[in-house]
Each structure stands twice: as structure tokens, then as C-alpha cells.
Amino acid sequence: MKEKRMNPRKVSAVKDFICVVPVLIFLAIFTYYPIAELFRISFTDWNLLKDTWQYVGFKNWQWLFNGSGTRYLWNSLRVTVLYSIGELTVTIVGGMIFALIFNRMNKAFSAMRAIVFMPKYVAMSSAAVVFLWILNTDTGILNYLLSLVGISAVDWLGDRNTALISVLMLTGWRCIGYGMMVYLSAMMGISADYYEAASLDGASSFQKFVSITLPMLSPTTLFLFVTTFISSMKVFQSVDILTQGGPYRSTEVFVYNIYRYAMVDFRMDRAATVAIFFFVLLLLVTVATMKISNGRITYDS
Amino acid sequence: MRKKAALVLAAAMVVGMTAGCSGGGSTGKAAVNNADTAAENAGGAADTPAEEVSYEVTEPITITWWHALEEQYSDTVTEIVNDFNSSQDLITVEAEYVGSYSDVNEALVAAHAAGNGLPAITVANTPYVAEYGAGGLTEDLTPYIEASGYDIEDFGDGMVAAAQYDGKQVSLPFLISTQILFYNKDMVDAEGITLPSTWDEMDAFMEAATVKAADGSTERYATIIPGWDQWYFETFYLNQGVNIINEDQVTTDLDGETAVAIAGKLKEWCDNGYTYWTGTADDASSNMRSNFISGKALSVVHTTSLYNTYVDQCDFEIGMAWLPGGETKNQEIGGCVLLIPSKNDQATKNAAWQFMQYLCSKDVNMKWAEGTGYMPTRKSVLETEEGQAFLEQKPAFQAIFDNLDLINPRIQHSAWSQLSNIWKNAMAEMILENGDVQESMEQMSLEINDILSDS
Amino acid sequence: MSKQELSSAKARNESAKRNRRIKAAVQWVLAIIVVLIIVFPIYWMLVSSVKSQEEILLAVPTLWPREFHFENYINVLNRGNFAKYYWNTAVMTAGILISQVVTGIFAAYGFSKGKFRGQNVCFIIVLGALMIPLQVTFIPLYIMMANWGLSDTFLGLILPEAVSPYYIFMLRQTFMAIDDSYVEAARMDGLGRVGIITKILAPMCKSTLFTVTLVTFTNGWNSYFWPKIIARGEKRRVLTIGLAQLQNTFAGNETMNNHEIMAGAVLAVVPVIILFFIFQKYMLTGYSKAAMK
């Protein structure tokens, strides 16, 4: 380089570029290339149990949209959407209510807030085995407490009417404090002037909440909605430990569906096909939520 | 320069993204050979002369043994492994508990595909033998047996057959059990209940043996049939002539008249409160057992391997009865075989073979047979005074010794584990959620046909 | 102001005070109830982990253990092989952490303070990766790793997580907020890029850097999906997977050792919970920081 006497500006640009090169190479290999591979695999009949594979055209796509895979595709889509709605409700509505309860600035409340937020940091696997134990039909403490008020034992994880609710209990326990913290820090950003002005107009606390707090929090709500929605679509771990997708696939969310085809049945071809569908779905959701967030929200600068 | 670098990167990324699309090349070891190349490889492998291979262990080596033996067997496992390790100088065995049989299956197939992380020797549940044989996962043990003059004739015939695929000895029988009806002998004797010997007698038995409270709720179930593993209820179908996999190997008869009728009966008994369907949850087995132990069930269908566990936990006498039959009275081999993954190197395989011979030896087998409910596997036990001595210790095993010839190998098909998952889930959903029997069986059969023809 | 008006103002004041006091009381009561509910699973995990097997299966659960059985922990460490899982988790987490921090800081510098053609395109490539989670790509990744002989290895555990677009994005935002004049001044002083990053930018964004790194640490420590796929054997099993495995083994068909499972659960969360209490301030803002950007 010295011999060529490059323009120092250019040298600087190259050096700047080198800073980001490792990351780009990494993402190319470990993120973008696998997506291309996924498409390729979806056109094969690759079964991990077998030594050979060949291209089979659109056979897997037919299987997915017009074959024995269709039923479970829609099932997992439905379960995932139900789960997402549950997690969104807990995070946004629950988080907001908790934020109002814990919106008091003193040492005791600050300690209590920390406790409510802590579950977010408890490893999901630890939390899940604890919930398994609490929800146990015969020896779990929840059923014992219910029996004290005369409710007979509920088979929380074994009944398809309660299995998803049980998974959501665990999710709620871990996420509600997060929603609370996000809302609280946003509430502190709302200028006290608004409230004083409203007080002078004789507004009640409830009116103040509806006409000031809620609208001012709308960017926060949107943020929570977008991030929670997308992350809730990727749920796997809680389902894997609590129900393994059961009973009879009533908690089989999307990722678990893919996981089952790939790592239990070893049908890489089918798993890849569903994974692509899932990927497209994620993209659509992301784009749609971004579209919504552009424009609708009034920011207070 | 700046431009160039950006261009190069962009090009690299495009190449990276499209390389995969450009052709059916081999992705390497992961069983991903295109059809042609694989055929070549297979040809090459066949050419490799077997004469040169030595089956002796000459250098010290440490090998891993994967097993699925839970907590209650851990003392026996430790003892057996320690005995082997101290019996010779060259081989050190490390036993590793992998999980349930299906966990072992998943881990084994994944490791085989990856070509690393394979155990030297592993257990495998009996129905997986065909999958592994067909997929080339297992080492053919025939040359090992010949080279070391191993006496395979001493195993029961059905057991040897269960460990074969396509005429090749790809595994050896290790811990063998079968389905059995455990019953509360004290209650049966006191109440003079006749146990059913055919499916047709089941109705009468179920009604007679159930005890109901005044409000119609069940105080004692006649029997409980596990729903978490289709193995426990599939003999009812087989013995009435249902082809779970038809001869064409790509369809099932489970939507036929007989199969639907059997499923309907199972559901009817549950609806009547004579029994309940366990479902497929993790605790289904322990719930069923605690019902039997506490006298809330007169009998349960379970595996013989749990005989000692039941004897230890029940304060009444345990009887064992052969399951009610139909046209035939056959049962199926359960438990596990031992196999050596084919992708190991020869030294590991040789060491594994030594350990396998030891694990399958008569002494070790009898240790299991006495300490648990697994069966003796040797003719030299089964057909001699040793067997009689064993029976004196465990008289309940008479039911099994009487019917040894009726214990058959499992149905072998490379899509079997998928089929069994679909089946047990469909049964659970139909019975527990009160589905329509005909409709459920048809829907299930459609799915099964799909995986059978596309495997 | 008339006397009447005065007294009514006083009354209004009184009633406002009373309202405020009622509101405070309601808040206190609700807060305490919520805290009790949230804390209960953790409390239950702790007490269950020191009970005996008999006590844990009692029909009427005991809220406080009759006897303390700390040997449950020893049993889990030995039989459940948790000591090994600890080591595996620690190495994996350290690997992920170091590589994410190093690659992340440099990339964030390049995207915020650097200048080169195609900068925006490159940044879009990074952002785009945010939309492609491991849950989509795990099948080809698994095969790649297997082909490279990396299943059941540390490298296999770390590689797919070695770069975090999220981390880069967060740091870039933070670096952008720093005035360019600092960087220029440092450059005048003859500092190179490494110097600028380590001596100027990093110290100025200490708290964000620390917070994001803490989040990265806990995410690594608690990760489950990828380890489950790539480390199926015992050799490189991590705590989260080991605990799920323990659940299958101990609560499976034949034994009900829930007290030992709870001990395992405690062992798995202890490091993160300790960190949480030490660095509460950062941990609490960790996620909400992300929210504000």
C-alpha cells in the first residue's frame, strides 16, 4: 500500500470498512447462506435416516398446502396466534396495570419493582420445571390451593383446554414485569405540566389517565406490541419443557412444529419447507407492523 | 479500492446465498450424498475386502456406552460396568444415560448424520432395528460373530430374529421384555374373578371387575391399558388380524372394520368407567402405577421388566397373565437390543464388540433377570433346570415361560416411529376428547399412509 | 376570601388528602399481593429443593421444610453431572460474550464513526439479519456444523451466536449520540481506531456498554434452543438442557424426585440472580433502554 501511495482518505475508508467486515462475513455464512440452503432442501426428499436424497420438485410444498401436512400447518398457526395474543395481552395490559400499581417513588416500591422484574432473568428452563411442579395434577400446590376452595383437581398440562393457558401462565410470570418497567420509564418521561393543567380543569384521575397517560404512552405501546409480537411467534422453550406440543398437538407452536419434523422425525425436507413458510410469515408480520408504526403514532418531542 | 472491496463483498454474499441452489452436490458427511455418488460409495464399500480386518483389541481404549436405564437401575449399571472394566486391562467403558428410548433414537440418528459424537455401543428399542438397518446406521455383526466363534444359537429364536434386519445380524438382544397383564392376585382370588383369555371375554371381565360407587363414579378400574406407547395396545389389533402395515408396505389397515371396532371398544370401556385412557403425558405411567399399587385398579397392562418394581411397591401378591388374544395369541418383544454404530473406527468397534459380548453374556443377563423383570434370553436357561430355579423365585413368570414361542419380533418399517407417534396421539385424542371413532381412525390412517408411502 | 370559601377550600384540601391516602393504601395492598404472587414460584423452588422426598409428596404441602436436606444439591451435582454442565455453560457464555462484544464494538464504530462507500447497504445487511432468527435457519446450520465436525463442541455452541445484530445496532445508536468532535480530537492526538474505541468511545458509553453486555450474558447463560439442537450428547450439555433432561429422568416414569429437580433449578439460576442483585440498576434499565431507542 505504501508503494502505491494511496489517498489517506481512501485508506481511512478501507480501515473503517475492515471494522465491519468480520460481522458481514459472519452474517453471510451463518444467517444468509442458511436461508438459501433452506430453499434448496425444500425441493429435496431428504430424510436424515437415509443415505441418499434427490430433488423432487414441489412435492414438499404440495404436502404442506394440499396434503397431510396442511392440517398441522394451520393448527400450529392457530396455536401460535393464540399464544401471541395471550403474551401481548399480558405484556401490554398487564404491564400497564402493574405500572400504575407500582408507580410510587420510594425505596420499598423500588425494591418491589425489582422483584417483579426479576423473573425475566430467571432461566426459562428453571422457571418451566418449577411451573411443572406447581401445576402437577396430583402433588402440585396450585391444585391443592384450589381444593381448599372446593375446586377439584385440574389436569393443567394434560387437558387441551388448559395446556396453552398453563404455558401462558409461565410466560406471563416472566414477561409482565418487563412490560411494567418499560411503561414506568415511559411514564416518568411525561411532563408533569400536562397533569397540572388537567387538574386545574378539574379532571379526575381516571380522566387524566385516559386523556393524557394513554395517548402519551402510545409509542411505548407500539414498541411493546411490535417486539413482543415478533418474539412471541418464536416461542419454543416453554412449550418444549412443559408440554412437548401436547396434548395432541394443542400447544404445538410453529417452531415446535418445525423442530418435530427436523429433529424427531428427521424429515429435513419437510422441516425446511415449513421453516420457509415461517420465515415468510415473520417477514410479513415485521413489514406490516412497521407500516402501522409509521405515521399512526404521535410523538411528543 | 473502496468500490472494489464493496463489490467483492457483495459478490461474496451473492455467491454465498446462491451456491446452495446451483446443484445437488454433496454436503459432505451428513448422509447428504446425491443418489449417484452414494451408489458409487456403496459400491466402493462393498469392494473393501473384509478378510484383512482384525477383530482383536490390541491397544488401550476408552469407549462410551449409551443406555436408557433410569435411576432405579443405576446401581446395576455401575456394578456391571465396573466389573467389566476390572476384568481386563485394555478397554475402559463409560456408561452414559441418554434418556428415554426415543431420546436415544433421536440422539443416535443425529450423531450418525453428523458422523461424530457417536457412542461405541448403544441400546436401541426393538422397533428401531429396521430403521437403523435400512439407513446403514448399524454394523453388521456377522463377521464379528464368526471371527470370535460367538455362540448366537443360545439366544431364544424370536429374540435373535428381532435383532436382525434383512437377514443380517445388526444387533444382539440385551434387555428383553414383553407385554403382560399384572393383576392383584389377592383381589382376584378373593372375588373369584376370571381373567379374560380372549378379546371376546373382555366385555364381561371389564364389567365384572369394575367397582362403582353409588353415584356411578368408579372406585376400582378393571384394568388400565397404557396409551403413552402404542406397543401396549397394538397386540389387540394384531391378534385379530389387523395389518398395521399391509403387505404392500405403504398402507395401513387401521381404518378397516376390525380396527375401528377395537378402537371403539377401548373407547366404550373408558366411557363406561371400566377403565380410563392414560394419555401420553410424562406422568401417565407413574399415575397408572400408583392406581394399581393403591388398589384403585384390579390390573394393568405393562411391561414385564417392571415386575420387581411392582413386587417391591405392592403389599399384595402380584399375578401375571398373558394378554387376551383373538385369532392368535401372539405378543411382541419389547425392551432393547445392543448395536454398534457403523461410522465408528475399527478399533472402537472391536472394543465395543468385546463389551457387547460381555453385556449379552448369560451371567450379566441373569443379573438383570433376577434383579428386575427383564427376561432370561438364553435357551440354556429357559429350557433347563436353571429356568425352573428361576421360576421358583418368580412363579409369576410361568405365564411367560408357557408362551415363549408366541413372543414375536416387532413390526419392522423405516417409518415405524412416525407411525407409532401418530397412532398413539390419535387414540388419545379420540378417547379423551370424545371424538368420532370411525372418523378419527380414517383421518389417522390417511396420515399413516402418507408417511408409509413417502418414507 | 370569605370564611365559607376558606372552609370549603380547606375541606377540598382535606378530601384530596384523604383521597391521596386511600390511593396510597390501595397501591400498597395491591403491590404487596402482586409481589407475593410473583415471588411464590421462586420461594417454592427454594423450599422444595431442601425437602425430603417424603415431604415433597405429602398430600398437604408444607410451606416451610420440616428438615433441611442440603444433600439434594450434592446429589444433583454428582448424579446429574451438574458440575460439568456448569463448566460447559460458563465456557459457552464466555465465548459468545467475548466474540459479540469484540465484533460488535468494531462494527458499531464502523457504522457510526466510519465512512465508506456502501455503508448503508452494509448496515441494512446487519439489520436484515435481525429478521432471520435461529429458529428459521437451524436446519441448514445444524447440517453445516455437523459437516464441520462441530456438533457436541464449544465451537459449535458458540459460532452461530458469535455475532449479534442487536448488539451492533444498540452500540451504533449509542456511538452516534457522541459528538464527532471527540473522535476528531483523538485522531489529531494520533490515536488509531483501536485507541479511539478503547480510550474514547468505550469509556464514554460505559453504562450502555455494560448494560447491553449484561443482557448478552444472561441471554447466553439461559440459551436453550441452539444448545438443544447442536449439543445432544452429554459431553457439551449446558445447564438449561441438563435441567430439562433431569426433569425427564427424575420425574419420568419411575421416580418422582422433584426435590432434586428443584435443587437443579436453583443451581441453574443462581449466577444470573446474583448478577441481577449486584447490578440491579443496569439490569432494570437493560430492557427498557432498548425500548426507548
Side-chain angles (χ1 to χ4, degrees):
Chain A
M1 281 202 182
K2 256 184 195 168
E3 292 156 48
K4 282 196 174 179
R5 292 209 162 196
M6 282 182 64
N7 176 347
R9 260 236 198 105
K10 274 192 180 171
V11 175
S12 163
V14 170
K15 283 188 177 172
D16 285 343
F17 180 62
I18 287 171
C19 288
V20 304
V21 161
V23 164
L24 292 177
I25 292 176
F26 234 93
L27 294 178
I29 299 175
F30 292 101
T31 306
Y32 288 101
Y33 170 67
I35 285 283
E37 266 293 280
L38 217 47
F39 276 96
R40 190 179 66 77
I41 297 171
S42 79
F43 293 109
T44 68
D45 67 347
W46 186 21
N47 181 336
L48 209 54
L49 279 165
K50 295 197 172 171
D51 277 338
T52 59
W53 58 268
Q54 46 201 292
Y55 288 105
V56 293
F58 284 89
K59 199 173 165 203
N60 293 312
W61 291 94
Q62 204 181 345
W63 162 84
L64 184 64
F65 291 116
N66 191 17
S68 61
T70 316
R71 187 169 159 231
Y72 297 117
L73 177 72
W74 298 133
N75 176 62
S76 59
L77 188 60
R78 190 183 58 90
V79 175
T80 311
V81 168
L82 282 177
Y83 174 86
S84 290
I85 293 174
E87 185 171 340
L88 281 170
T89 313
V90 170
T91 311
I92 292 176
V93 180
M96 175 84 78
I97 293 172
F98 274 31
L100 293 175
I101 295 175
F102 287 92
N103 190 7
R104 181 165 280 275
M105 297 306 136
N106 60 38
K107 272 209 173 134
F109 267 76
S110 142
M112 287 197 285
R113 276 197 296 273
I115 288 172
V116 174
F117 186 53
M118 188 174 62
K120 182 88 189 168
Y121 284 97
V122 173
M124 183 57 105
S125 51
S126 291
V129 297
V130 175
F131 270 68
L132 267 180
W133 172 228
I134 289 174
L135 295 171
N136 188 297
T137 313
D138 299 321
T139 43
I141 188 155
L142 184 58
N143 274 348
Y144 170 73
L145 291 176
L146 289 177
S147 75
L148 294 182
V149 290
I151 298 170
S152 59
V154 180
D155 186 2
W156 289 102
L157 297 161
D159 188 322
R160 75 160 144 210
N161 297 315
T162 52
L164 193 62
I165 295 174
S166 310
V167 176
L168 279 168
M169 278 190 220
L170 171 58
T171 307
W173 181 71
R174 286 189 82 235
C175 291
I176 198 161
Y178 163 65
M180 174 190 81
M181 290 309 285
V182 174
Y183 273 124
L184 269 176
S185 47
M187 280 178 185
M188 283 174 211
I190 302 176
S191 162
D193 299 347
Y194 292 110
Y195 293 105
E196 272 162 30
S199 297
L200 288 179
D201 293 346
S204 72
S205 305
F206 181 73
Q207 281 168 329
K208 277 189 263 180
F209 175 72
V210 171
S211 60
I212 301 170
T213 316
L214 272 185
M216 296 298 286
L217 287 180
S218 59
T220 313
T221 306
L222 187 80
F223 165 82
L224 273 177
F225 180 82
V226 172
T227 52
T228 309
F229 191 22
I230 292 169
S231 77
S232 70
M233 286 182 71
K234 296 184 283 192
V235 59
F236 173 80
Q237 194 182 348
S238 48
V239 171
D240 187 41
I241 297 178
L242 288 183
T243 64
Q244 290 94 46
Y248 2 97
R249 303 196 176 209
S250 62
T251 54
E252 190 173 280
V253 290
F254 237 109
V255 179
Y256 202 86
N257 191 243
I258 302 171
Y259 173 84
R260 182 203 291 277
Y261 288 127
M263 308 312 282
V264 179
D265 293 347
F266 299 113
R267 293 298 302 258
M268 294 306 180
D269 50 348
R270 291 180 170 181
T273 314
V274 185
I276 291 172
F277 182 86
F278 179 55
F279 171 59
V280 172
L281 198 72
L282 272 180
L283 273 188
L284 288 179
V285 167
T286 312
V287 171
T289 45
M290 279 181 173
K291 273 261 160 69
I292 298 171
S293 64
N294 283 343
R296 283 257 179 113
I297 303 304
T298 50
Y299 289 91
D300 176 61
S301 53
Chain B
M1 180 72 198
R2 192 167 41 175
K3 205 177 194 173
K4 245 187 217 161
L7 263 178
V8 169
L9 181 84
M13 302 204 52
V14 171
V15 170
M17 285 161 73
T18 51
C21 307
S22 56
S26 155
T27 324
K29 291 178 234 156
V32 203
N33 295 309
N34 212 342
D36 320 328
T37 47
E40 263 168 45
N41 289 347
D47 290 342
T48 323
E51 312 129 35
E52 299 294 328
V53 181
S54 155
Y55 299 105
E56 295 298 313
V57 178
T58 49
E59 279 167 36
I61 186 170
T62 300
I63 60 171
T64 314
W65 170 39
W66 280 4
H67 66 79
L69 293 154
E70 294 111 344
E71 269 296 289
Q72 73 265 35
Y73 303 121
S74 65
D75 292 342
T76 318
V77 169
T78 314
E79 183 193 328
I80 287 172
V81 169
N82 288 345
D83 283 354
F84 178 76
N85 286 343
S86 52
S87 72
Q88 40 75 48
D89 308 326
L90 291 175
I91 309 166
T92 311
V93 175
E94 285 173 358
E96 189 178 306
Y97 173 80
V98 178
S100 66
Y101 283 136
S102 54
D103 292 336
V104 173
N105 173 47
E106 287 164 28
L108 189 61
V109 174
H112 175 73
N116 72 342
L118 279 163
I121 175 172
T122 177
V123 301
N125 196 4
T126 44
Y128 296 125
V129 173
E131 276 181 30
Y132 299 161
L137 190 150
T138 50
E139 182 81 350
D140 183 4
L141 298 173
T142 317
Y144 295 81
I145 294 168
E146 280 168 11
S148 47
Y150 188 70
D151 181 18
I152 194 160
E153 299 295 321
D154 194 32
F155 287 111
D157 296 335
M159 299 176 197
V160 171
Q164 288 174 341
Y165 170 73
D166 207 12
K168 283 183 287 187
Q169 197 69 46
V170 293
S171 61
L172 285 185
F174 178 40
L175 297 173
I176 297 302
S177 59
T178 187
Q179 308 99 332
I180 206 75
L181 184 80
F182 287 105
Y183 61 91
N184 184 325
K185 200 162 185 306
D186 294 358
M187 282 186 187
V188 167
D189 290 349
E191 299 172 35
I193 294 169
T194 321
L195 294 169
S197 66
T198 67
W199 179 256
D200 296 333
E201 293 168 26
M202 282 289 279
D203 263 326
F205 163 75
M206 295 300 272
E207 201 179 342
T210 305
V211 178
K212 290 209 173 183
D215 63 351
S217 65
T218 306
E219 278 181 350
R220 189 189 74 194
Y221 299 110
T223 194
I224 305 171
I225 301 166
W228 64 84
D229 187 343
Q230 94 301 332
W231 182 59
Y232 290 108
F233 52 82
E234 74 185 22
T235 55
F236 298 130
Y237 293 80
L238 290 171
N239 283 327
Q240 291 177 71
V242 176
N243 287 320
I244 293 166
I245 297 175
N246 285 325
E247 266 171 38
D248 60 12
Q249 296 293 309
V250 294
T251 54
T252 178
D253 204 11
L254 281 169
D255 53 353
E257 210 176 309
T258 323
V260 173
I262 297 168
K265 269 289 168 215
L266 289 171
K267 179 166 184 293
E268 183 190 315
W269 294 330
C270 293
D271 292 346
N272 288 344
Y274 299 155
T275 181
Y276 75 92
W277 201 253
T278 64
T280 57
D282 280 345
D283 57 356
S285 170
S286 58
N287 287 343
M288 179 179 95
R289 260 185 321 143
S290 66
N291 274 321
F292 182 61
I293 294 165
S294 65
K296 261 207 85 178
L298 180 80
S299 62
V300 289
V301 176
H302 219 161
T303 159
T304 52
S305 64
L306 288 170
Y307 175 78
N308 278 44
T309 313
Y310 275 120
V311 169
D312 290 346
Q313 293 180 349
C314 296
D315 49 12
F316 47 83
E317 198 183 334
I318 307 281
M320 293 206 308
W322 201 248
L323 293 184
E327 296 164 15
T328 50
K329 282 200 73 161
N330 293 331
Q331 277 183 204
E332 296 178 290
I333 280 184
C336 59
V337 296
L338 285 169
L339 59 87
I340 299 175
S342 57
K343 281 189 179 170
N344 281 319
D345 57 47
Q346 196 57 43
T348 309
K349 286 178 188 171
N350 292 345
W353 170 242
Q354 295 299 323
F355 184 53
M356 186 190 272
Q357 291 179 59
Y358 167 78
L359 282 179
C360 294
S361 67
K362 196 167 105 182
D363 290 349
V364 173
N365 175 237
M366 288 314 286
K367 224 172 242 174
W368 286 106
E370 277 154 21
T372 70
Y374 285 109
M375 289 158 50
T377 52
R378 299 291 181 145
K379 285 181 192 160
S380 57
V381 173
L382 294 167
E383 293 166 4
T384 61
E385 310 86 64
E386 280 187 65
Q388 289 309 312
F390 177 77
L391 274 183
E392 269 164 38
Q393 248 185 324
K394 293 183 175 181
F397 272 72
Q398 188 68 49
I400 291 167
F401 277 60
D402 288 346
N403 296 294
L404 272 178
D405 295 340
L406 299 178
I407 304 181
N408 289 333
R410 301 289 295 268
I411 299 167
Q412 302 287 338
H413 192 286
S414 56
W416 181 255
S417 57
Q418 287 181 65
L419 182 154
S420 60
N421 277 332
I422 296 174
W423 190 6
K424 73 179 182 203
N425 280 323
M427 286 295 284
E429 182 166 10
M430 177 191 83
I431 296 177
L432 295 173
E433 303 294 336
N434 203 17
D436 183 79
V437 180
Q438 181 80 34
E439 209 177 285
S440 308
M441 295 297 274
E442 277 171 12
Q443 168 67 35
M444 173 187 100
S445 301
L446 275 181
E447 258 176 75
I448 291 179
N449 289 342
D450 176 71
I451 56 122
L452 286 178
S453 58
D454 190 35
S455 66
Chain C
M1 228 184 267
S2 75
K3 236 183 182 179
Q4 247 180 345
E5 272 175 333
L6 239 176
S7 72
S8 87
K10 214 175 173 186
R12 221 186 301 137
N13 213 356
E14 289 270 286
S15 91
K17 241 188 205 164
R18 190 160 7 101
N19 277 343
R20 237 178 288 143
R21 231 178 277 142
I22 290 172
K23 197 184 157 215
V26 170
Q27 266 187 322
W28 268 100
V29 171
L30 288 177
I32 287 168
I33 292 172
V34 165
V35 165
L36 286 179
I37 292 173
I38 296 279
V39 150
F40 183 77
I42 292 173
Y43 170 77
W44 201 234
M45 169 172 82
L46 287 171
V47 279
S48 299
S49 75
V50 291
K51 287 181 179 177
S52 67
Q53 188 172 17
E54 291 79 51
E55 190 173 355
I56 205 162
L57 292 173
L58 287 178
V60 179
T62 48
L63 273 178
W64 189 250
R66 291 177 188 163
E67 287 172 326
F68 286 85
H69 291 266
F70 292 107
E71 72 271 16
N72 293 345
Y73 285 84
I74 311 272
N75 287 343
V76 170
L77 277 171
N78 294 336
R79 243 185 330 171
N81 238 335
F82 261 53
K84 187 154 120 202
Y85 303 159
Y86 251 107
W87 169 248
N88 289 344
T89 311
V91 174
M92 176 188 75
T93 311
I96 292 175
L97 194 66
I98 292 168
S99 100
Q100 283 197 7
V101 170
V102 172
T103 60
I105 288 186
F106 276 93
Y109 171 84
F111 286 127
S112 60
K113 300 295 172 207
K115 245 188 227 132
F116 55 93
R117 277 278 276 288
Q119 199 174 16
N120 283 336
V121 177
C122 291
F123 190 58
I124 285 171
I125 291 173
V126 172
L127 282 187
L130 273 173
M131 281 192 269
I132 310 176
L134 262 174
Q135 285 88 340
V136 166
T137 53
F138 76 94
I139 300 162
L141 270 178
Y142 166 69
I143 293 155
M144 251 161 76
M145 293 293 160
N147 282 338
W148 295 347
L150 294 182
S151 54
D152 286 307
T153 62
F154 282 127
L155 214 52
L157 282 167
I158 294 166
L159 269 182
E161 311 247 30
V163 164
S164 160
Y166 162 78
Y167 195 96
I168 297 167
F169 177 71
M170 290 296 297
L171 280 188
R172 173 185 176 262
Q173 301 298 92
T174 322
F175 286 173
M176 297 263 266
I178 292 174
D179 202 286
D180 278 350
S181 58
Y182 290 103
V183 179
E184 285 307 319
R187 213 169 268 155
M188 292 299 158
D189 290 348
L191 274 183
R193 280 170 185 72
V194 179
I196 292 172
I197 291 171
T198 53
K199 297 216 173 84
I200 311 290
L201 291 176
M204 288 181 77
C205 311
K206 227 175 13 195
S207 84
T208 311
L209 205 58
F210 189 60
T211 306
V212 183
T213 306
L214 270 179
V215 172
T216 306
F217 174 84
T218 51
N219 284 347
W221 188 271
N222 295 344
S223 68
Y224 181 88
F225 184 74
W226 180 246
K228 177 163 174 127
I229 307 269
I230 199 68
R232 303 180 72 99
E234 168 88 11
K235 201 174 98 199
R236 289 291 173 255
R237 189 171 286 157
V238 296
L239 275 170
T240 49
I241 306 293
L243 186 61
Q245 179 81 11
L246 196 68
Q247 170 73 37
N248 291 337
T249 321
F250 281 8
N253 291 344
E254 312 310 339
T255 37
M256 288 290 278
N257 293 358
N258 271 302
H259 53 311
E260 288 178 347
I261 297 170
M262 292 305 122
V266 173
L267 286 174
V269 297
V270 157
V272 175
I273 294 302
I274 290 175
L275 274 187
F276 177 79
F277 280 111
I278 297 177
F279 300 115
Q280 227 191 80
K281 199 177 86 195
Y282 298 99
M283 297 285 233
L284 286 175
T285 53
Y287 282 99
S288 20
K289 263 241 174 74
M292 292 305 98
K293 296 284 171 187

